[in-house]
């Protein structure tokens, strides 16, 4: 019984991961958003040290 429940939970987790992954992929293809770009330091709120 325990083996059956663990396999069922594993299958459920993989199915949900696949569904959410496909949904995120479809949302990202509909927009011109590049999620792989690097974020500039100032957008994080970091400040560079002045060169004095």
């Amino acid at each position: 019984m325990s083996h059956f429940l663990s396999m069922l939970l594993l299958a459920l987790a993989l199915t949900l991961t696949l569904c959410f992954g496909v949904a995120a992929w479809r949302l990202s293809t509909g927009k011109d958003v590049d999620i792989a770009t690097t974020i500039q330091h100032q957008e994080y709120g970091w400040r560079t040290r002045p060169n004095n």
Side-chain angles (χ1 to χ4, degrees):
M1 186 70 178
S2 176
H3 183 70
F4 173 74
L5 285 178
S6 62
M7 287 293 122
L8 184 65
L9 285 174
L10 180 63
L12 179 65
L14 290 175
T15 303
L16 287 175
T17 302
L18 180 67
C19 289
F20 281 109
V22 168
W25 175 63
R26 291 186 63 183
L27 283 175
S28 68
T29 58
K31 301 174 185 173
D32 291 331
V33 176
D34 188 9
I35 62 172
T37 60
T38 58
I39 298 174
Q40 299 296 326
H41 291 294
Q42 291 181 351
E43 291 182 18
Y44 273 28
W46 298 343
R47 300 284 182 235
T48 58
R49 292 183 182 177
N51 294 334
N52 290 342

